[in-house]
Amino acid sequence: MQLSEAQRRILLAVAGGMRLKDHRDIEGNKTYALHHPDDRSEPVDARDVEVLVELGLISSNKKFPSATYWLTEQGNLAIRALQNSA
């Protein structure tokens, strides 16, 4: 599986305890951000999140207006493979 550097970084961040969330505004526009434990947030590209969802590496609770994402079983396997190759 070929992941971009940004996609690997998102997976590793979630595995490391950061929260990946999407946020919708009143018009339905969606943005994604990684949330640090100190409440800082860092935007991430929607396309990277969409690829990770399509590959089955992450899933969400599908809540509105803000959903939280987590690693799936397949995502945890990908994390182990990334850590073993490092």
Side-chain angles (χ1 to χ4, degrees):
M1 164 183 341
Q2 290 290 349
L3 297 176
S4 72
E5 182 60 34
Q7 292 159 359
R8 285 192 295 273
R9 193 174 93 43
I10 292 167
L11 279 182
L12 291 168
V14 172
M18 292 178 66
R19 289 174 294 133
L20 174 62
K21 299 185 86 162
D22 70 33
H23 304 274
R24 287 185 189 257
D25 64 19
I26 195 76
E27 287 86 29
N29 300 311
K30 192 186 295 188
T31 59
Y32 296 86
L34 281 169
H35 294 267
H36 296 258
D38 64 2
D39 289 331
R40 288 180 299 122
S41 66
E42 159 187 352
V44 295
D45 192 300
R47 290 170 295 192
D48 291 322
V49 175
E50 291 164 4
V51 167
L52 296 173
V53 169
E54 288 170 10
L55 291 172
L57 302 177
I58 61 174
S59 188
S60 79
N61 60 4
K62 302 181 181 38
K63 292 199 174 186
F64 179 85
S66 180
T68 301
Y69 291 76
W70 57 80
L71 294 174
T72 62
E73 184 176 328
Q74 192 170 344
N76 281 309
L77 291 173
I79 288 294
R80 280 183 243 157
L82 287 172
Q83 291 170 335
N84 288 337
S85 68

